[in-house]
Amino acid sequence: MTRKLSCREILDNLSAYVDAELDPSLCEEIEAHMQGCNPCVAFLNTLKKTVVLVRYSGEPEQVPQEVHIDLHRFLRDRCKDDGPGKES
Amino acid sequence: MEEARLVQRARQGDFGAFEQLVTRTESKIYGLLLRLVGNPEDARELLQETYLSAYRNLDRFQGNAAFSTWVYRIATNHALMRFRKKNPETVGLDEIPVPTHEEIRERGVSDWDLDPKEAVLQKEIRGLLNRAILDLPPLYRAVVVLRDVEGLSTAETAQALEITEGAVKTRLHRARLFLREALSPHFEDARDDRQGMR
């Protein structure tokens, strides 16, 4: 006999649910709860939308040309005579 | 040339091979640093420090993850070290303001009337998101950036930040709640059909 989850317990587990990191039995309990709880469904939807927004907020950042040039010049100056694997 | 071969040659002192590894990964690492520190000048300096460390520690790279994942770890450490230096009190901050279940229940919940993939194309919304991410304390920000922006797994994020997987999951959940809270006023359904939690 499984105990019914409260909204608070659902809330605590929602990220792990979104990431599919929960035991299948707990997922089933969450889904059963969602059948009869519109606020938890709305909360889940908005949390999922938050994750998608964050995921796509990171436009691929192309390194600006001057940053690329500076970086390679810096590394040539600092590394070339050292050889790899030498902490200084 | 494949990555493992480049790493091997770089370890043997072939600086050209190391430069190729840098060129292949620098955009990803620059993007990561920019999101972690929020300004191009710091990101530029940290990028240099990161690859210098990577070169000096090449013999420690195990090769069981991608080179870029290993460099993610170094870059994140350098960014967190910089935060510690600037604001030692904020880095270890364990509490962030997220609403409790009681507060959510009282206020009610309404869905957001938007398609996130379309919404994020708007400059204004990207600005709002980036500001909200930068409002997170550094460790929470690092977790959310590595997991949700860069797409690292929980295990890889834990490794990069030298914390447990449990701590990654807890911080990620709280960071997402914080971000959801920051975004809610802008996206809540205009029909205002809030429903109370039990």
Side-chain angles (χ1 to χ4, degrees), chain B residues 57-99:
Chain B
N57 289 288
L58 260 182
D59 52 342
R60 293 188 198 169
F61 174 56
Q62 304 288 321
N64 47 11
F67 178 74
S68 61
T69 307
W70 182 64
V71 184
Y72 268 131
R73 182 176 178 170
I74 299 172
T76 309
N77 277 334
H78 277 277
L80 290 175
M81 274 195 291
R82 181 160 294 208
F83 287 127
R84 278 194 191 99
K85 229 175 181 175
K86 279 188 175 172
N87 293 306
E89 71 284 1
T90 61
V91 175
L93 212 62
D94 268 339
E95 287 307 313
I96 53 171
V98 292

Side-chain angles (χ1 to χ4, degrees), chain B residues 47-64:
Chain B
L47 189 68
Q48 297 181 351
E49 289 173 18
T50 295
Y51 281 108
L52 183 59
S53 276
Y55 189 71
R56 288 178 170 164
N57 289 288
L58 260 182
D59 52 342
R60 293 188 198 169
F61 174 56
Q62 304 288 321
N64 47 11

Side-chain angles (χ1 to χ4, degrees), chain A residues 40-58:
Chain A
C40 278
V41 172
F43 200 93
L44 172 65
N45 287 341
T46 55
L47 193 70
K48 278 183 178 169
K49 285 173 183 172
T50 303
V51 175
V52 176
L53 282 165
V54 170
R55 182 161 301 147
Y56 290 94
S57 69

Side-chain angles (χ1 to χ4, degrees), chain B residues 31-45:
Chain B
L32 167 75
L33 287 167
L34 205 51
R35 279 181 262 285
L36 286 176
V37 297
N39 82 75
E41 211 34 63
D42 283 347
R44 179 189 189 127
E45 282 178 26

